[in-house]
Amino acid sequence: NNVTWEEAVSPANAQGQAGYRTSKALAEREAWGFMEREKPSFGLTVMNPSLIFGPVVPGSLRNLGEVNTSNTRIRDFVAGRFKEKCPPTGSAFWVDVRDAAMAHAVALEKGGETDGKRYFLTSGGFCNREIVEVIGEEFPEVKGGLPVGEALRDGEYPEGGPKYGFDNGASVRDLGLVYRGLRESVR
């Protein structure tokens, strides 16, 4: 992410997530800069998770309005909010929260073996249509509130499939991750 802070907060990007995404990149750059400048007695391992889906800690929500941003799309599909028109997917990669947590735990257990490395945590690509399909199959009682047919069009992959590929090989190889599938995470 080569976007500068000035570009991210410009009026042209005010409606998007450029500021959020750029803040993550700038924070990571600053962490690496700190390590180089200060040469602390500890190491740095960076985890870069994609969009995080999956269960929340039982009892941690007082109501569904408190669900994390990534899971709001699943909540909103179940609630029938997008019955008339499925929203575009936006971020095309995802990871289950349990897999992201495992990556952090394994890196800590490995001590210095992961120092100086960065890991892209993703199970792979997805589109909102796939989430709708899983919800409809796993929870038939809410199927009537889900978009169907033409209403799903905006939630599909762009023509030709996903725009980007990914490489999560380092997280599989170094951390031993076996990523969950979308069905398990949505369920």
Side-chain angles (χ1 to χ4, degrees):
N1 185 342
N2 294 321
V3 177
T4 66
W5 184 250
E6 291 73 25
E7 291 170 319
V9 298
S10 75
N13 289 318
Q15 299 302 316
Q17 290 190 352
Y20 172 76
R21 291 177 178 152
T22 301
S23 72
K24 299 288 188 178
L26 294 176
E28 181 182 340
R29 279 188 222 147
E30 181 54 33
W32 290 117
F34 171 85
M35 296 301 288
E36 191 169 315
R37 282 189 314 274
E38 303 298 326
K39 307 205 183 323
S41 60
F42 55 85
L44 175 64
T45 302
V46 174
M47 301 293 174
N48 289 303
S50 49
L51 192 67
I52 298 178
F53 292 146
V56 297
V57 175
S60 65
L61 301 177
R62 291 176 297 214
N63 59 63
L64 288 177
E66 293 181 349
V67 74
N68 65 307
T69 302
S70 300
N71 279 332
T72 59
R73 79 179 65 211
I74 296 170
R75 177 204 64 200
D76 290 348
F77 280 128
V78 170
R81 181 172 174 211
F82 300 125
K83 179 179 174 51
E84 301 304 318
K85 185 176 181 181
C86 184
T89 301
S91 298
F93 298 105
W94 73 280
V95 64
D96 188 281
V97 65
R98 295 162 290 188
D99 297 334
M102 181 61 72
H104 285 78
V106 170
L108 282 170
E109 289 174 354
K110 287 186 171 266
E113 289 181 47
T114 63
D115 286 358
K117 296 182 180 176
R118 52 196 316 266
Y119 296 97
F120 181 44
L121 306 179
T122 188
S123 181
F126 80 99
C127 67
N128 280 341
R129 179 188 187 110
E130 292 173 319
I131 291 176
V132 169
E133 290 169 357
V134 170
I135 293 169
E137 292 166 7
E138 295 290 332
F139 305 98
E141 65 274 19
V142 301
K143 203 169 187 173
L146 297 174
V148 296
E150 188 62 23
L152 279 170
R153 192 166 51 109
D154 288 347
E156 295 176 350
Y157 286 113
E159 190 174 326
K163 293 180 186 179
Y164 310 103
F166 67 94
D167 182 358
N168 64 2
S171 64
V172 171
R173 184 178 52 257
D174 295 358
L175 305 174
L177 290 184
V178 177
Y179 288 99
R180 287 170 172 76
L182 187 64
R183 179 170 298 277
E184 180 181 355
S185 190
V186 170
R187 186 179 51 240

